[in-house]
């Protein structure tokens, strides 16, 4: 039997990351979709950086920044008792940064594709920005939100570099499935590596399949046919 | 009709400059208008002239570069005093060109959403009644036809009982019959809710039928304003009967030309002499007026 802990840890990390990302990404995506500020391209670039940057770069800088030996990490450690290096909290933070574009981009595109008159109509009816967001905008970009959730979740499951750099390989704490696979291969334990791999393969296949079914309007069509 | 001011009439004063980017490059909307409350005003002009922008600025959805908007004593915008009343706080109803119904809500939910806090639902029922939305209430906007959507948008804009109703080309996408129906709805609510209505239209006969004041905009400037029939006919015709329509057919017979004109849904034949016919072509918009004849009255039914 394989050790299930890495898989459980992976899904726990993916779930926490996805929920936090959803909360963070809606305001960011809203701002990016509607702002006319000159600084917008800079923020957009920063959000998208994890798409192209090697994960090890992000992991490396986080490792340096959060190390208790350095100013910022030491301050976090002393003041909040928060040690982000080689800890689960550190993995969550790393994953948040790493998967941010996968949540922000679909939601931002969702907002941008909505007709501006929907927002305008709600404003003219006397509704605040918050009410408009909650009752008009978000319900009408549900497919984008679901896409964001699923992509962020799947991407967090697949991360390796950031996790390895900032979390290391502590069983039960930071040893997620992708690292366990690497570990088993190193130990020439191909059977275990294969089991982990097959499970991850199956799950990510399913997740992405769901994305394409939603984006292809498959669910909508079948609902109307009912 | 005389364009006179009532003693106590409140004026809607618009005087502002707004830069806008259109397909043909940058344009400056520069208007200075004083409109009397209670009128049904049409904005007329080519597309891209700045008409929609004018409505958006009035509604507070766009901010002008400089200038002011005053409704009587209320200041809605004054760039010098840095006043810009939020769109939420302007008592305006807006019917957007593409209807802008909320797709996630049913028709009734769309109307209920428009209620202010603590406002009674009675107004929604009343509007459903006068705009004939009873059958549609539980349907989603995507299942409605253009005319139906337009009626819902009109009703929704009236829920919070606005003082000013803005309609961005409410009728252009509708077929003839729907148009006539919506025109009568607009007239009805204009009177019933004591509105100042500003609508955008390209249709001359519609404008003459509906509105009592016309503002023509071209390239961001007001080029003409006044009573519609004065502006669309060169001489003032003091006629007892007057209709506008479109020339459908012209048949020459000896010295006269029989011109068939479509007025509303009816075809009318009018005799024109050679000289009159010279200026006419099929497709022209014309006004038919008469003052010296005996109308025949028949009781119908």
């Amino acid at each position: 039997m394989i050790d299930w802990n890495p898989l459980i840890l992976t899904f726990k990390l993916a779930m926490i990351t996805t929920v936090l990302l959803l909360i963070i990404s809606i305001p960011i995506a809203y701002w990016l979709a509607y702002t006319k500020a000159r600084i917008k391209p800079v923020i957009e670039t920063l959000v998208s950086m994890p798409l192209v940057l090697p994960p090890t770069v992000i992991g490396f800088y986080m490792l340096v920044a959060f190390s208790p030996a350095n100013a910022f990490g030491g301050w976090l450690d002393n003041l909040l008792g928060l040690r982000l290096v080689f800890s689960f909290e550190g993995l969550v933070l790393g994953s948040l940064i790493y998967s941010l574009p996968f949540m922000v981009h679909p939601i931002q595109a969702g907002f941008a594709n909505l007709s501006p008159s929907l927002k305008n109509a709600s404003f003219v009816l006397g509704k605040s920005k918050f009410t408009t967001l909650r009752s008009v905008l978000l319900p009408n970009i549900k497919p984008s939100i679901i896409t964001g959730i699923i992509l962020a979740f799947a991407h967090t499951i697949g991360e390796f570099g950031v996790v390895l750099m900032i979390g290391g390989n502590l069983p039960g704490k930071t040893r997620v499935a992708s690292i366990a696979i690497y570990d088993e291969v190193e130990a020439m334990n191909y059977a275990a590596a294969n089991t982990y791999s097959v499970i991850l393969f199956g799950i990510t296949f399913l997740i992405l399949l769901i994305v394409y079914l939603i984006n292809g309007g498959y669910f909508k069509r079948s609902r109307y046919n009912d | 009709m005389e364009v006179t001011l009532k003693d106590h009439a409140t004026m809607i004063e618009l005087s502002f400059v707004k830069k806008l980017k259109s397909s043909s490059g940058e344009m400056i909307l520069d208007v200075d208008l004083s409109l009397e409350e209670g009128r049904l005003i049409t904005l007329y002009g080519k597309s891209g002239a700045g008409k929609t922008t004018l409505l958006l600025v009035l509604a507070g959805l766009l901010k002008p570069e400089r200038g002011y908007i005053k409704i009587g004593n209320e200041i809605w915008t004054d760039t010098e005093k840095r006043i810009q009343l939020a769109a939420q706080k302007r008592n305006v109803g807006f019917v957007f060109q593409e209807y802008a119904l909320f797709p996630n809500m049913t028709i009734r939910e769309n109307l209920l959403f428009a209620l202010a806090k603590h406002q009674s639902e009675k107004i929604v029922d009343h509007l459903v009644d006068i705009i004939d939305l009873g059958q549609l209430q539980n349907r989603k906007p995507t299942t409605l036809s253009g005319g139906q959507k337009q009626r819902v948008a009109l009703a929704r804009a009236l829920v919070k009982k606005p003082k000013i109703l803005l309609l961005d080309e409410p009728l252009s996408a509708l077929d003839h019959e729907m148009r006539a129906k919506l025109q009568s709805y607009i007239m009805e609510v204009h009177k019933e809710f004591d509105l100042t209505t500003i609508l955008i239209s390209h249709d001359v006969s519609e404008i003459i039928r509906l509105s009592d004041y016309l503002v023509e905009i071209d390239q961001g400037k007001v080029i003409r304003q006044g009573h519609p029939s004065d502006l669309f006919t060169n001489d003032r015709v003091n006629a007892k009967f007057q209709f506008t329509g479109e020339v459908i057919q012209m048949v020459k017979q000896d010295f006269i030309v029989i011109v068939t004109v479509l007025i509303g849904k009816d075809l009318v034949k009018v005799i024109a002499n050679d000289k009159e016919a010279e200026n006419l072509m099929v497709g022209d918009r014309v006004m038919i007026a008469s003052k010296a004849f005996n109308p025949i009255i028949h009781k119908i039914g």
Side-chain angles (χ1 to χ4, degrees), chain A residues 41-69:
Chain A
V42 178
I43 305 295
E44 243 174 346
T45 308
L46 283 175
V47 169
S48 303
M49 282 290 269
L51 287 176
V52 288
L53 215 54
T56 40
V57 174
I58 301 170
F60 171 66
Y61 280 120
M62 289 182 72
L63 185 65
V64 171
F66 297 136
S67 161

Side-chain angles (χ1 to χ4, degrees), chain B residues 16-220:
Chain B
F16 63 81
V17 174
K18 171 79 193 162
K19 260 190 226 154
L20 45 128
K21 286 181 197 124
S22 65
S23 48
S24 53
E26 212 164 79
M27 199 185 67
I28 292 167
L29 176 65
D30 184 355
V31 293
D32 190 358
L33 276 170
S34 214
L35 303 168
E36 194 184 332
E37 201 173 54
R39 287 190 178 279
L40 211 161
I41 301 146
T42 302
L43 295 183
Y44 175 77
K46 292 193 199 91
S47 53
K51 305 182 297 296
T52 302
T53 307
L54 194 152
L55 294 191
L56 291 173
V57 171
L58 178 54
L61 294 166
L62 285 177
K63 199 177 161 185
E65 264 76 44
R66 55 171 200 278
Y68 61 84
I69 297 171
K70 283 186 214 164
I71 313 294
N73 298 324
E74 264 178 70
I75 298 175
W76 280 7
T77 294
D78 191 333
T79 50
E80 249 170 54
K81 292 181 187 152
R82 295 180 167 274
I83 298 173
Q84 170 76 358
L85 192 66
Q88 283 90 340
K89 298 200 172 126
R90 302 184 179 199
N91 201 3
V92 161
F94 204 122
V95 176
F96 293 84
Q97 197 175 359
E98 68 269 43
Y99 321 122
L101 301 179
F102 306 131
N104 57 314
M105 306 179 195
T106 63
I107 300 315
R108 183 156 186 95
E109 284 165 350
N110 262 280
L111 299 179
L112 291 176
F113 182 76
L115 286 171
K117 258 187 203 162
H118 311 302
Q119 196 184 345
S120 149
E121 281 187 29
K122 265 188 209 154
I123 179 76
V124 170
D125 295 325
H126 181 57
L127 283 165
V128 164
D129 235 29
I130 56 174
I131 309 185
D132 282 328
L133 298 172
Q135 307 288 324
L136 306 174
Q137 286 190 82
N138 294 318
R139 286 171 54 184
K140 285 275 178 80
T142 42
T143 67
L144 266 52
S145 72
Q148 292 170 325
K149 283 184 195 168
Q150 196 62 272
R151 271 153 58 203
V152 177
L154 178 64
R156 190 181 65 181
L158 293 168
V159 168
K160 62 169 201 170
K161 299 187 179 167
K163 277 193 295 193
I164 301 175
L165 177 64
L166 307 175
L167 304 136
D168 190 355
E169 291 196 46
L171 306 164
S172 59
L174 307 176
D175 63 46
H176 201 92
E177 210 166 310
M178 242 6 271
R179 240 168 211 252
K181 214 168 160 189
L182 255 153
Q183 283 173 6
S184 65
Y185 284 126
I186 291 172
M187 300 258 256
E188 206 179 319
V189 296
H190 173 74
K191 279 195 205 103
E192 163 151 7
F193 289 86
D194 215 2
L195 292 164
T196 305
T197 304
I198 304 180
L199 69 88
I200 293 177
S201 177
H202 294 286
D203 186 329
V204 176
S205 66
E206 180 175 298
I207 292 168
I208 291 177
R209 202 170 324 147
L210 274 178
S211 60
D212 48 21
Y213 200 75
L214 177 104
V215 177
E216 184 171 355
I217 297 180
D218 191 39
Q219 305 272 352

